[in-house]
Amino acid sequence: MLENIIPDLKFLAGVGTKRADILYKELEIVTADDLIRYYPYRYVDRSRFYYIHEIGSDVPFIQIKGQILRFERQGEGRKQRLTAQFSDGKSTIELVWFQGIKFALEKLKTHTDYVVFGRPTLFNGRYNIAHPDIERPEDLPPPEQMGLQPYYNTTEKMKHNFLNSKAIQKIMTNLLAQLKDVQIAETLTSDIIKKYALMPLKDALFNIHFPQNADKLKHARQRLKFEELFYVQLHILHQTKLREQSVNGFIFNKIGNFFNDYYKKYLPFELTSAQKRVLKEIRTDVRSGKQMNRLLQGDVGSGKTIVALFAMFMALDNDFQAAIMAPTEILAQQHYETISELLERMHVNIALLTGSTKPKEREKLHNALISGELHILIGTHALIEDTVKFHNLGLVVIDEQHRFGVAQRARLWQKNTQPPHILVMTATPIPRTLAMTLYGDLSISVIDELPPGRKPIQTYHYFMNKRPTLNQFLAKQIAAGRQIYIVYPIIKESEKLDLQNLEHGYEYICEVFPNLKIGKVHGQMKSQEKEREMQKFVSGETNILVATTVIEVGVNVPNASVMIIENAERFGLSQLHQLRGRVGRGAEQSFCILLTDYKIGADTRKRLEIMTETNDGFRIAEADLQLRGPGDMDGTQQSGMPFDLKIANLAQDGRMLEIARSVAQQILETDPKLLSEKNLILKNQLKKMKKEPVNWGLIS
Ligand code: ADP
Ligand code: MG
């Protein structure tokens, strides 16, 4: 769009060859378009003076005019600090220095007019400003001339080359000066702009860098956020439409004996209404003629397995085969056992295929698959190997999706003449806004209700000093026949130290309970050894399992009633929740104990509070998103965010995302290929989107 005006960035005033090179290497900024889309990360409001009583929770950097009433020195040596009571004539705020105390005392006088400048932070229920900039009012230009100052993120390397925020601001000034009298082509249709009262693109770009005032900045941000979210959604939904048009889905029209017999004769309990709802959603998909790509989210223990089973019956009733794929051997094994048990009195042929299936057995299994004699195959990724061929595979259920690699899933598509229906199940709930972006082209089903009669897990946070009491409690649980998990964190950076902690913990617990069988599992063990130790715990041979997070996913030991998480401060929320989900699977009351050091930060405290307050995975996921931001959440790290959002924030802009998505939906409904004249803008803009998102529909 701007190539005609600024064909080469290095010729822009303030840039030059060297800086152009740095901009490219450090920020991937190549063109003037890239540059203008490099938004400030914050603004400093020097356009007006604030009153202290106006300071609220979302205050930016502000300036206040007033006088210092008095100073106070506290502490000694390295702990010393200086505070000053600063008054704007109506109320006071505290200014704080931890360094440069002498200098401040020499320079500043009481009862003299100053402009104080900084970011107020809340401390013990009161706002203060640490290390403020302080100037005499007569040294400053009038506020109207200062406005909102943009600040840009820069890297170390950029700073070394004098490309700091100020320099970028300068370059941006030059860029905008050149664009002042130039038309900048709109990227949204006039319909959308009008309907949602959005700021025109050119205005928005100017105001995002140099806001005329706070209100204009707000509108500029809204406009650019909307545009960003809208195009992500348009892209995802457009791809989905294209896929639906080019790929047919098998039609499972019949509900037959497999489904009905099981439902009427063998189903051991009443389905929850959430389970029924999800089954209806699946049923609608599989008879639509389109390929199903559905993500089923449901907390641990919400009963996803039975839903998967009924979905598989739908395939079987229409003469198709079905498969379940699990991320580890032990989980595949457990699925096999559970499903064998559920199907005990049905004539369904099922088999297990994992890496350790013997060649002879494998051959038999392959034959039964090809002939169609085998109805359901359960396995690890072994079942997507090329040698595994089906007679007529119609549905694949993938358990715990994020442990599967992208390429592995793509191979499923080659298992039949047409791609099978796909149901992905996950116990890591993803907040809606994130799901709409990460898995935007998967339909989403949610089981938001636990089967009746469950005793909610009781969760407590203890400091280390509670260990003796805790040991007594453990002894009681063991005496009652229960089993116990003790989990230690392992992070890459200090793996050695972590392993040491685990070893010490193991030795300690062996000393405390010399008569018990205590197992140990961690990632450094050979996988066979690991499986063997796990199996011992599953079978009840060991009473206590000391482990790292290798036990996180899916293992089912209903007899385990206590989960102790050591150094709980070092786990993320989703991970804590996942770990907790290993208990509470039987009839007994279960407990989760979060142990931490005395010293924990505010964020950690918040995490632990949420854990002790609720068992609801969705609430926890939402809190996790708010606390950590979308990029750092469990489950997104493995798959990666398919889109880099520059200005929108999935944790905060959920409402706007919903609107953007529905606008995109409406447009594609009437003009799926974006062929109409007025949608040309959108079509061209879509083409320009740099980063191709991972196409989840195709691979999951
Ligand atoms: P998850 O969603 O974690 O995979 P499971 O499918 O393993 O959960 O179900 C957990 C337990 O709840 C199983 O023992 C299962 O038999 C039981 N269950 C599932 N649905 C119901 C229901 N509607 N009523 C009672 N128990 C149920
Ligand atoms: Mg499960």
Side-chain angles (χ1 to χ4, degrees):
M1 127 187 140
L2 304 177
E3 293 101 78
N4 302 334
I5 306 136
I6 299 152
D8 194 335
L9 209 52
K10 65 173 176 276
F11 297 127
L12 181 67
V15 182
T17 317
K18 186 158 176 222
R19 282 181 162 187
D21 191 49
I22 297 172
L23 284 174
Y24 163 63
K25 284 194 179 130
E26 296 295 294
L27 303 176
E28 287 181 40
I29 291 175
V30 182
T31 64
D33 284 286
D34 298 337
L35 183 61
I36 204 167
R37 297 282 183 170
Y38 193 65
Y39 308 134
Y41 70 96
R42 72 159 201 242
Y43 304 85
V44 165
D45 188 358
R46 305 207 80 158
S47 67
R48 55 167 285 216
F49 297 110
Y50 277 71
Y51 282 113
I52 292 161
H53 68 249
E54 287 178 285
I55 297 172
S57 59
D58 54 324
V59 280
F61 281 70
I62 55 163
Q63 54 187 4
I64 311 166
K65 204 150 80 172
Q67 299 187 341
I68 292 172
L69 302 181
R70 61 179 178 279
F71 288 103
E72 193 178 338
R73 275 182 95 148
Q74 290 162 337
E76 272 177 38
R78 294 189 55 205
K79 285 204 174 137
Q80 91 180 285
R81 62 193 194 123
L82 172 70
T83 59
Q85 296 304 320
F86 187 76
S87 164
D88 62 6
K90 296 184 179 205
S91 33
T92 63
I93 187 167
E94 197 168 75
L95 311 179
V96 190
W97 290 264
F98 303 99
Q99 286 148 23
I101 291 175
K102 210 170 129 216
F103 182 74
L105 281 173
E106 275 166 16
K107 188 180 140 197
L108 301 172
K109 299 181 183 63
T110 53
H111 303 290
T112 309
D113 280 345
Y114 287 119
V115 175
V116 163
F117 177 77
R119 174 163 45 200
T121 51
L122 206 52
F123 185 74
N124 280 343
R126 282 202 54 182
Y127 283 101
N128 69 32
I129 302 179
H131 294 142
D133 280 350
I134 298 190
E135 313 210 37
R136 302 291 305 266
E138 57 270 28
D139 296 340
L140 291 172
E144 320 70 91
Q145 282 174 29
M146 305 256 317
L148 288 156
Q149 311 276 308
Y151 277 70
Y152 298 89
N153 272 318
T154 55
T155 64
E156 277 310 308
K157 187 134 180 253
M158 288 170 70
K159 283 186 197 114
H160 271 304
N161 289 280
F162 305 103
L163 249 180
N164 54 13
S165 174
K166 264 256 145 26
I168 303 259
Q169 190 183 328
K170 217 52 233 204
I171 293 171
M172 216 58 93
T173 312
N174 299 338
L175 175 64
L176 293 185
Q178 287 210 32
L179 300 177
K180 200 152 189 258
D181 302 314
V182 175
Q183 280 226 347
I184 294 182
E186 223 350 296
T187 49
L188 292 172
T189 64
S190 49
D191 282 5
I192 297 178
I193 293 182
K194 222 186 276 154
K195 181 154 182 208
Y196 295 95
L198 297 172
M199 188 181 253
L201 180 62
K202 187 171 173 182
D203 271 4
L205 289 173
F206 273 68
N207 273 291
I208 201 74
H209 292 292
F210 299 103
Q212 286 172 356
N213 55 47
D215 192 52
K216 291 243 163 141
L217 174 60
K218 190 173 122 198
H219 282 99
R221 287 175 64 83
Q222 264 171 355
R223 142 83 208 208
L224 295 170
K225 280 182 180 190
F226 183 90
E227 178 188 296
E228 183 165 61
L229 294 171
F230 170 76
Y231 274 107
V232 169
Q233 292 304 319
L234 190 69
H235 184 102
I236 294 171
L237 295 168
H238 186 59
Q239 294 286 316
T240 314
K241 273 250 155 43
L242 291 182
R243 185 192 72 213
E244 282 174 3
Q245 279 164 0
S246 62
V247 178
N248 290 325
F250 296 123
I251 297 180
F252 301 170
N253 246 331
K254 276 188 293 192
I255 288 288
N257 288 340
F258 285 112
F259 193 106
N260 284 328
D261 276 4
Y262 191 78
Y263 195 85
K264 288 184 195 138
K265 295 191 202 153
Y266 307 122
L267 181 61
F269 38 68
E270 170 88 12
L271 292 179
T272 63
S273 49
Q275 285 170 320
K276 286 183 190 161
R277 186 187 63 234
V278 171
L279 275 174
K280 273 195 200 127
E281 290 164 352
I282 293 172
R283 170 116 171 90
T284 309
D285 282 0
V286 296
R287 53 196 297 202
S288 70
K290 292 176 190 159
Q291 183 214 8
M292 173 172 78
N293 279 283
R294 188 166 279 281
L295 177 70
L296 172 55
Q297 300 190 36
D299 228 327
V300 175
S302 59
K304 296 186 290 293
T305 315
I306 204 83
V307 170
L309 188 64
F310 275 112
M312 292 194 288
F313 286 148
M314 293 178 202
L316 268 48
D317 276 335
N318 290 273
D319 300 319
F320 284 91
Q321 293 165 300
I324 298 189
M325 197 154 72
T328 65
E329 195 148 339
I330 214 159
L331 286 175
Q333 175 87 33
Q334 283 197 340
H335 269 308
Y336 178 72
E337 280 160 18
T338 319
I339 288 172
S340 300
E341 212 171 290
L342 288 168
L343 294 179
E344 210 175 5
R345 286 174 293 166
M346 299 268 295
H347 297 287
V348 179
N349 299 323
I350 73 173
L352 175 69
L353 176 66
T354 69
S356 50
T357 306
K358 300 259 159 19
K360 251 218 177 112
E361 216 165 306
R362 213 171 243 262
E363 199 184 309
K364 235 174 73 190
L365 201 148
H366 282 180
N367 291 334
L369 263 186
I370 276 281
S371 71
E373 189 189 324
L374 199 59
H375 297 115
I376 295 177
L377 181 63
I378 298 171
T380 54
H381 51 268
L383 66 79
I384 54 171
E385 282 164 20
D386 291 337
T387 47
V388 182
K389 298 213 161 58
F390 290 80
H391 173 65
N392 197 11
L393 179 64
L395 168 76
V396 179
V397 177
I398 301 175
D399 200 12
E400 301 297 351
Q401 108 285 359
H402 63 270
R403 298 280 163 131
F404 271 107
V406 164
Q408 290 172 322
R409 276 174 276 171
R411 294 166 74 172
L412 277 174
W413 279 57
Q414 281 124 45
K415 295 287 166 193
N416 205 342
T417 50
Q418 250 170 252
H421 293 298
I422 288 171
L423 181 67
V424 182
M425 305 198 295
T426 175
T428 313
I430 304 159
R432 222 181 114 70
T433 53
L434 201 54
M436 283 197 309
T437 309
L438 263 183
Y439 307 110
D441 63 344
L442 299 190
S443 329
I444 296 176
S445 288
V446 177
I447 306 186
D448 49 7
E449 178 186 5
L450 290 183
R454 289 280 164 80
K455 292 198 182 94
I457 302 165
Q458 295 178 17
T459 303
Y460 301 96
H461 168 214
Y462 291 153
F463 293 113
M464 299 303 189
N465 62 344
K466 273 276 173 86
R467 240 177 239 288
T469 327
L470 184 58
N471 289 338
Q472 285 170 15
F473 168 73
L474 295 185
K476 268 197 211 135
Q477 287 285 312
I478 300 268
R482 306 282 94 76
Q483 287 165 281
I484 290 157
Y485 291 104
I486 303 179
V487 177
Y488 282 85
I490 284 274
I491 50 166
K492 279 266 151 13
E493 299 94 77
S494 62
E495 211 162 324
K496 266 210 183 119
L497 261 169
D498 281 338
L499 274 179
Q500 250 176 38
N501 282 347
L502 178 129
E503 292 293 346
H504 289 157
Y506 174 75
E507 280 161 28
Y508 169 77
I509 214 78
C510 287
E511 271 167 38
V512 177
F513 299 109
N515 300 322
L516 296 183
K517 284 240 167 60
I518 298 166
K520 183 171 63 177
V521 185
H522 56 78
Q524 301 268 294
M525 289 159 73
K526 292 223 176 64
S527 70
Q528 275 191 352
E529 210 182 332
K530 221 160 52 188
E531 297 264 331
R532 208 165 38 232
E533 278 295 324
M534 279 310 302
Q535 207 56 56
K536 276 195 202 161
F537 191 67
V538 172
S539 67
E541 206 181 316
T542 36
N543 309 93
I544 300 180
L545 186 64
V546 180
T548 59
T549 47
V550 290
I551 60 139
E552 191 184 332
V553 170
V555 201
N556 190 23
V557 185
N559 191 45
S561 64
V562 185
M563 164 63 65
I564 296 177
I565 304 178
E566 298 274 352
N567 293 117
E569 68 271 21
R570 289 175 52 193
F571 290 90
L573 258 181
S574 306
Q575 216 178 5
L576 289 173
H577 182 61
Q578 280 291 309
L579 285 169
R580 175 167 63 183
R582 298 305 103 214
V583 297
R585 309 186 135 233
E588 308 302 325
Q589 176 63 56
S590 287
F591 305 88
C592 174
I593 314 291
L594 308 169
L595 281 171
T596 72
D597 211 336
Y598 296 102
K599 267 200 220 145
I600 50 173
D603 262 17
T604 303
R605 197 172 291 276
K606 187 96 214 170
R607 281 207 301 280
L608 300 173
E609 259 171 40
I610 292 164
M611 284 296 294
T612 52
E613 250 166 45
T614 183
N615 278 306
D616 179 343
F618 281 94
R619 262 196 65 195
I620 288 169
E622 193 60 52
D624 200 20
L625 178 62
Q626 301 297 338
L627 280 172
R628 287 209 282 177
D632 290 328
M633 283 190 62
D634 293 342
T636 62
Q637 278 158 329
Q638 289 95 335
S639 41
M641 291 290 286
F643 297 95
D644 270 338
L645 295 179
K646 284 187 179 148
I647 188 163
N649 177 332
L650 293 181
Q652 285 153 21
D653 301 322
R655 176 89 193 100
M656 191 183 282
L657 175 62
E658 304 255 3
I659 296 171
R661 185 173 172 90
S662 80
V663 174
Q665 247 156 358
Q666 281 163 26
I667 290 172
L668 288 172
E669 219 133 86
T670 50
D671 186 9
K673 292 190 170 155
L674 301 175
L675 295 177
S676 76
E677 179 82 43
K678 96 177 162 199
N679 288 335
L680 204 62
I681 291 185
L682 307 182
K683 194 176 173 106
N684 288 335
Q685 200 61 24
L686 264 194
K687 270 198 214 138
K688 276 196 227 149
M689 285 183 75
K690 247 204 261 165
K691 230 183 201 170
E692 280 297 308
V694 182
N695 189 342
W696 291 94
L698 229 76
I699 52 180
S700 45

